[in-house]
Each structure stands twice: as C-alpha cells, then as structure tokens.
Amino acid sequence: MQSKACYLASALFIVSNSSLAGGFTLYEQSASAAGTAYAGKAALGEDASAAWFNPASMTLINREQLAVGLHIYNVDIKFKDDGRSEDGGTSSNKEGKPGGVLPLPNFHYVRPINEKVRFGLSVTAPFGVAHDFNPGWVGRFQGLKSEITNLDINPSLSYKVDERLSVGAGISAQYLNVKLTQAIPATMDTPTEGGATIKGNSVAFGYNYGALLKVTDDTRVGLAYRSEVRHSLSGTADFSTVPVANSNITSNIDLPASLAFSSVTRLNPKWSVLTDITWTEWSTFKELRFSPENGGMDLTKDLSWRDTLRLAVGTVHQYNEKTKLKFGLAFDETPVQDSKRNVRTPDSDSVTLALGSQYRIDERCTVDTAIQLTKYKSAPIFDNQTSTGGGIVSGKFNSMVQIISAQLNYTF
C-alpha cells in the first residue's frame, strides 16, 4: 500500500500548466509590453518595467518612475475524450475543463542615481499554475488541482557606458509554493475513493544581466539574460485513505534560464517596429524526483522537456500627442513532447494576437491597456496508468486564453 501511495505522490509532482505559455512561464509582467505581444521588450525602455525585461534599458528613463499593473487571465481548457479514457467504470464524466479566471499583479520602480546610473526594483510572478478539474472527471486519479505560486523580488542597477551602450544587472530572491492533488482509487482495503495532496515551498536565488546598444539614431537592440533558479522544496505528502504513507517530502524544481534579443526601430515620428526572439532552457527539466523522508524509495517521472523559442513582432503608432496604439503577434513553442503529455501538462504550440494603447493623462501619468488572445494547437494525450490505478486518459486538449491588462505609470 505504501509503495502505491508513493507512486501516486510522485505522479502528483508532475508540474502542470494553467497559463499554457511555453511550459509555465508567465510573460505578463507589463501591460505596456503586452500591447505588442512583448515584441521589443528588451530594447524598449518605455517605463519602469524596463527593470524586469532588461536592466540596461533603465538608462532610457531619466526621472523617478513607478509602474503598477494587473493582468486578468480567462483560461479556457477543454479535454475531449476519444472513447478510450477509462477510470475503472466508476465515472461517466469523461470531459475535463480545468480553466478559470485568474489575476496577476506586478510592480516596477526605477530611480536615477546620477546621469549614468539607475536603480530598479521589480516584484513579479514569472512562473505560475492554477487549475482544478471537476472532482468526478475520468482523469481524477492522474490529477485534480494544480497550484504553483511564484514571487520574484528583483533589484537591479544599470550603467550608461557612453551615448550608445548601456549595461545592467540584478539579483532575484524567489519564493515558490506548490500544491498538487489527485484522487486515490478505491481498493479491497479502502472501499471508498480517497485523496492525495502534496504541499511544498522553497526560497532560492538567481541573477540577470543585459546590454542595450543604440545602433543608429532610429534603431536600438537589447540583449537580456535571466539565470536558472534552482529550488529545493520541502513539504508534506498526505493520503486520506493510506495514512501510513504520509511523509515529509523533498523535491527539486529548476526554473529555466532564458535569453532574449529585441529590437526597436523608429520608421518615422508616427511609427515604430519592434521584434523579439526569446530562448528558454526548458531542457534542464528532464525529470522530477520525489524523495519521501520516511525511508521510502526515491521515484522519478520522466518529462524530457525541450528548449523553446518565442518569436514576436509588433508596431507602435503615435496616434496623437496623448495616445499610442499598439499591435503585436507572437508564436510560442511548447517544451512538452506529444508522447510525454499528461493531464497536468496540456501545453502546446500557440499563436498570440495583441492589441494595446497608452493614454497620457498629464505630464506625470500615463495608463496602458492591452488585450491578448492566445490560441493553442490541439494537444493529443494518451496516458495509460492502469497498472497503478490511474486509469487511461485519451483524447485531446483544446485551449484558449484571453488576457486583459492595465497599468498605471507615474513619473515623480
């Protein structure tokens, strides 16, 4: 009984994905950049969110500035059974819909120290998950609730080397909290279904750095690197019908490094074109190892995620003295292989369309708004866990996400 419970616990620890954006990355750290689908993010330096995307671009900000933003996700994930899903005949509910409405706030601050040096501070949630399947759905023995909460505090400094080149760097203190649940099948010893819950948290540190180069009077490019953050989680595994298997647990989650290259080109006083290519090192996410502290055997789950690229292009139009209009288009690869997909990783390749605007209220205050629509490629799944009581989940996930963003920028 204990070995079965330990397997269930390891299965619980497969990281899931509610944001469905390149693994479980949350790009939404700025409403101003959201309007162009984050094209140009490492070269724009439009407001205090520059501190997060590329600290070197803070040198474009000449006065103390604060940016406070909020993003509202409307996540629509639907599972369609192909007729082969099976949970032992105990449920007729073969559909799954784990999405919902989710808020994500962020905060950025930049302060000039002197003509060459800027200080920045960003408080963000760069990774996250929140989805919850119906308790009676056919895949409940493979996964129900998945919550990953991430908070990153990132102070940084930038230095203007000369009129063309700036550099910057920062450190991140990052908190990670995980809660994963699933159902436990009934057995001869436990004739009713039970539940399993894993909880764990960690604090870890990382760093970031970047450079900004003014190529011509109308074109600049930015390069921004953000390091891997290695979390060592500690927490508990609890089994309602197999209490002998309850244990403290440890596990490692390495949140990936990324490298972004962006450009901004002013075509004329009214129009600018922005581009971005971002590489994320998801290949470090090869497996997940679960270690109970009650003497049980370490168990692993093969993930074999792949590195990904995200490509974005956008435009900014200066409509009048007070208003900018924005447009963006992005393509995002998934790190999940079709053969490794499970109910906690319904991710797939996606395309994002973005529209945004910025309105200047007065000399000190601007407001950014944006809306993004992301459509995901249909994601097939066939996960047979009948040997351990997990049943079969077979079909396709079809997903779409709408994100509404707003940000207030105040210059002191």
Side-chain angles (χ1 to χ4, degrees), residues 206-225:
Y207 60 90
N208 64 303
Y209 56 82
L212 182 71
L213 178 66
K214 184 178 179 182
V215 181
T216 70
D217 288 342
D218 294 318
T219 299
R220 59 183 181 270
V221 296
L223 187 69
Y225 175 80

Side-chain angles (χ1 to χ4, degrees), residues 13 26 59 110-111 165 193 214 255 313 319 334 392 402:
F13 227 80
L26 299 177
T59 58
V110 171
R111 179 184 178 88
L165 177 65
E193 292 184 8
K214 184 178 179 182
L255 299 182
V313 61
Y319 180 72
T334 178
I392 299 172
Q402 301 90 36

Side-chain angles (χ1 to χ4, degrees), residues 256-272:
S258 64
L259 179 67
F261 177 79
S262 301
S263 71
V264 176
T265 299
R266 187 180 65 172
L267 301 178
N268 56 51
K270 290 285 189 179
W271 288 94
S272 296

Side-chain angles (χ1 to χ4, degrees), residues 32 56 93 97 130 151 159 224 237 272 274 282 317 333 352 358:
S32 59
N93 180 7
K97 191 176 180 182
L151 177 67
Y159 179 74
S272 296
L274 300 77
W282 281 115
H317 174 56
E333 290 183 320
T352 296
Q358 183 184 88

Side-chain angles (χ1 to χ4, degrees), residues 244-280:
V244 68
N246 292 349
S247 175
N248 293 329
I249 58 99
T250 60
S251 185
N252 296 323
I253 293 182
D254 296 341
L255 299 182
S258 64
L259 179 67
F261 177 79
S262 301
S263 71
V264 176
T265 299
R266 187 180 65 172
L267 301 178
N268 56 51
K270 290 285 189 179
W271 288 94
S272 296
V273 175
L274 300 77
T275 67
D276 179 79
I277 179 169
T278 297
W279 166 83
T280 304

